[in-house]
């Protein structure tokens, strides 16, 4: 390929040599900085999607890049058969920010793998097999996780499904109670259902789930692959006010945890970790030095740059400015996991924003546009978005207040 390949050069090569997966935007991402993505012909895009919610610290954050570079020069990888300082530091750092009681980390490579291991740990800890998840929840594409996914076509493409998965209605505790018998090892949920269109539940629902799990000896798993690592304005949804301070028995993480270096993790209680013996869990790459350096640096960058406070302040500003767009009926979600519910399908708005060089996300709710920006998004960048949204929606000036 030529050094300055055009979009057509790149697209035709990818389409020729790579299996079709996602419908792609007409962008060749060549470089990134903060909330911006640059193409190789020098255009820039405001990234309010973060590459599927991965760019929590923003693109190529200097602290994370320096840590990865330094680690690469020391040792790229050795497995869990040896001790490693980067692994020890990442585990210590992650546990130090975890909600109380979650005292041990297991590292793997992706969100689906974290969820598979979480369900396996719950089965080991309880001696039971079944798992309750929720309609609208998404947990990944490997066999057990896709079988736990009751959203759209996903379970169907995962056939034959792993047995023992049952769906309750998100937000409806009675529907959970009806399924939660002595065969149930775990209840697993996205505390905010992102792909379903950013669906939330009341604090009472989380409180009731915790009580039900305690009463019936069931392991409560929060899939925080999207909501974790600062996205909601606290380190985790678990233990936050919005979640009634409820702490589950397991939190699963991935996406933003490594700022783009693939890494997943489970955070678990002593009670669960006490049931896990050597060789019950394993992974070649999980806990590798590059990923561990990225985890520590990611968490440090979020702290150093006060990104949690930024998420909270910028969310308020964004919500305020979104009131200027009358086509938005409701803003769902929390922090930087927001669903803008329009009075019409959001696909055309997504396209119109892209033409104005702004990347957003759609969802399985046709009317909802999803925002999952880097945690460093500034007020001035919110202004750029609102201007583009108003232009895309042709909001006349006199409707501004
Ligand atoms: C809530 C949630 N859980 C799990 C996953 C699966 O993560 P991964 O794609 O890293 O396997 C995703 C991916 O989108 C997700 O959004």
């Amino acid at each position: 390929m030529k050094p300055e390949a055009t979009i057509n050069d790149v697209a035709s090569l990818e389409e020729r040599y790579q299996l079709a997966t996602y419908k792609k935007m007409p962008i060749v991402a060549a470089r990134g900085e903060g909330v911006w993505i640059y193409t190789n012909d020098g255009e820039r895009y405001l990234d309010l999607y973060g590459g599927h919610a991965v760019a929590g610290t923003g693109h190529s954050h200097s602290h994370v890049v320096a840590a990865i570079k330094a680690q690469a020069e020391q040792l790229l990888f050795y497995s869990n058969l040896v001790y490693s300082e980067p692994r020890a530091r990442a585990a210590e750092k992650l546990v130090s920010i975890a909600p109380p009681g979650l005292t041990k980390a297991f590292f793997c490579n992706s969100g689906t793998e974290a969820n598979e291991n979480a369900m396996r740990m719950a089965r080991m800890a309880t001696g039971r097999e079944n798992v309750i998840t929720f309609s609208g929840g998404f947990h990944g594409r490997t066999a057990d996780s896709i079988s736990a996914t009751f959203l759209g076509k996903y379970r169907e493409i995962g056939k034959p499904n792993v047995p023992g998965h049952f769906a309750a209605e998100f937000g409806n505790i009675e529907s959970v109670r009806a399924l939660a018998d002595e065969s149930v090892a775990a209840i697993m949920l996205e505390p905010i259902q992102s792909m379903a269109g950013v669906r939330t539940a009341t604090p009472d629902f989380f409180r009731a789930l915790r009580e039900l799990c305690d009463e019936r000896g069931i392991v409560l798993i929060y899939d925080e692959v999207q909501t974790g690592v600062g996205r909601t304005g606290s380190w985790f949804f678990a233990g936050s006010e919005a979640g009634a301070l409820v702490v589950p028995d397991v939190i699963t993480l991935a996406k933003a945890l490594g700022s783009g270096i693939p890494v997943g993790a489970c955070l678990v209680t002593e009670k669960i970790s006490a049931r896990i013996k050597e060789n019950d869990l394993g992974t070649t790459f999980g806990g590798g030095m590059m990923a561990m350096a990225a985890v520590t640096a990611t968490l440090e960058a979020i702290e150093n740059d006060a990104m949690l406070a930024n998420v909270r302040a910028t969310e308020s500003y964004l919500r305020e400015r979104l009131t200027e767009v009358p086509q938005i009926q409701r803003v769902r979600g929390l922090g930087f996991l927001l669903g803008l519910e329009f009075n019409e399908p959001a696909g055309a708005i997504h396209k119109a924003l892209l033409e104005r060089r702004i990347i957003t996300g759609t969802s399985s709710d046709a009317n909802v546009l999803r925002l999952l920006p880097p945690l460093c998004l500034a007020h001035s960048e919110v202004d750029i978005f609102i201007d583009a949204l108003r232009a895309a929606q042709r909001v006349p000036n006199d409707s501004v207040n």
Side-chain angles (χ1 to χ4, degrees):
M1 201 168 11
K2 293 173 283 177
E4 286 300 316
T6 65
I7 179 154
N8 289 339
D9 297 334
V10 179
S12 65
L13 276 183
E14 271 208 43
E15 272 151 31
R16 182 155 173 208
Y17 292 113
Q18 207 206 6
L19 280 183
T21 51
Y22 294 83
K23 181 168 169 43
K24 291 186 170 62
M25 296 179 279
I27 297 173
V28 179
R31 191 171 71 77
E33 196 181 330
V35 297
W36 298 95
I37 280 288
Y38 295 81
T39 65
N40 52 359
D41 49 13
E43 284 175 1
R44 70 171 194 171
Y45 284 76
L46 178 62
D47 184 10
L48 302 181
Y49 192 60
H52 277 318
V54 168
T57 54
H59 294 289
S60 298
H61 191 289
S62 57
H63 184 63
V64 180
V65 171
I68 296 168
K69 272 188 181 164
Q71 184 56 48
E73 280 170 6
Q74 291 296 312
L75 180 62
L76 285 176
F77 181 76
Y78 206 93
S79 66
N80 287 287
L81 283 177
V82 299
Y83 290 102
S84 144
E85 190 177 332
R87 190 185 305 126
R89 293 206 182 287
E92 181 189 34
K93 183 76 192 158
L94 190 54
V95 168
S96 79
I97 57 162
L102 296 172
T103 52
K104 287 233 159 51
F106 168 76
F107 290 111
C108 52
N109 310 287
S110 64
T112 195
E113 209 186 322
N115 288 336
E116 296 248 347
N117 282 287
M119 290 187 278
R120 187 167 301 165
M121 283 192 261
R123 293 183 183 116
M124 284 172 168
T126 59
R128 305 171 183 173
E129 290 193 352
N130 291 342
V131 174
I132 299 174
T133 50
F134 292 86
S135 49
F138 181 86
H139 301 291
R141 291 171 183 259
T142 51
D144 211 7
S145 296
I146 209 165
S147 304
T149 291
F150 291 87
L151 173 73
K153 62 175 195 268
Y154 292 104
R155 260 189 129 243
E156 211 38 50
I157 58 180
K159 292 254 158 124
N161 293 133
V162 173
H165 286 279
F166 301 91
E169 197 187 317
F170 188 58
N172 177 347
I173 194 66
E174 288 315 318
S175 74
V176 192
R177 240 188 267 283
L179 292 170
D181 61 21
E182 65 291 342
S183 68
V184 175
I187 296 176
M188 180 165 78
L189 66 154
E190 281 181 89
I192 299 175
Q193 291 190 330
S194 179
M195 276 171 65
V198 192
R199 295 172 63 201
T200 54
T202 62
D204 278 350
F205 176 65
F206 297 103
R207 207 175 290 121
L209 274 181
R210 182 67 274 177
E211 281 165 15
L212 183 65
C213 287
D214 289 343
E215 181 191 302
R216 303 195 183 172
I218 296 170
V219 174
L220 183 59
I221 304 171
Y222 278 12
D223 173 343
E224 295 225 39
V225 167
Q226 293 221 11
T227 54
V229 200
R231 181 148 301 283
T232 63
S234 13
W235 280 115
F236 305 98
F237 185 89
S240 71
E241 297 267 332
L245 310 180
V246 164
V247 178
D249 304 295
V250 183
I251 294 178
T252 62
L253 301 168
K255 290 198 187 279
L257 184 58
S259 293
I261 299 292
V263 57
C266 300
L267 280 166
V268 307
T269 58
E270 286 294 329
K271 198 168 160 198
I272 294 195
S273 67
R275 306 297 295 266
I276 308 300
K277 302 180 300 302
E278 272 176 17
N279 240 348
D280 282 348
L281 306 178
T283 150
T284 297
F285 285 119
M289 286 81 204
M290 291 290 286
M292 296 298 98
V295 167
T296 305
T298 295
L299 302 178
E300 286 170 352
I302 292 172
E303 257 170 9
N304 296 346
D305 297 358
M307 289 193 208
L308 300 183
N310 182 62
V311 171
R312 294 191 294 265
T314 310
E315 177 201 3
S316 301
Y317 181 64
L318 176 55
R319 281 181 177 273
E320 191 187 304
R321 294 238 37 208
L322 284 168
T323 60
E324 296 170 22
V325 186
Q327 288 88 344
I328 295 175
Q329 309 221 294
R330 204 151 65 97
V331 179
R332 307 177 183 174
L334 183 65
F336 281 177
L337 171 47
L338 294 178
L340 315 188
E341 187 185 329
F342 285 84
N343 54 8
E344 58 180 320
I349 300 156
H350 176 265
K351 188 162 173 280
L353 285 168
L354 198 57
E355 281 160 10
R356 289 170 170 79
R357 304 211 178 102
I358 296 187
I359 303 173
T360 55
T362 52
S363 77
S364 67
D365 183 329
N367 286 16
V368 172
L369 191 75
R370 264 187 314 159
L371 305 182
L372 296 139
L375 311 186
C376 54
L377 183 76
H379 284 36
S380 57
E381 291 145 354
V382 168
D383 293 339
I384 295 172
F385 169 57
I386 298 292
D387 287 349
L389 191 56
R390 284 163 44 87
Q393 294 278 285
R394 288 186 211 90
V395 177
N397 277 334
D398 56 9
S399 76
V400 184
N401 46 36

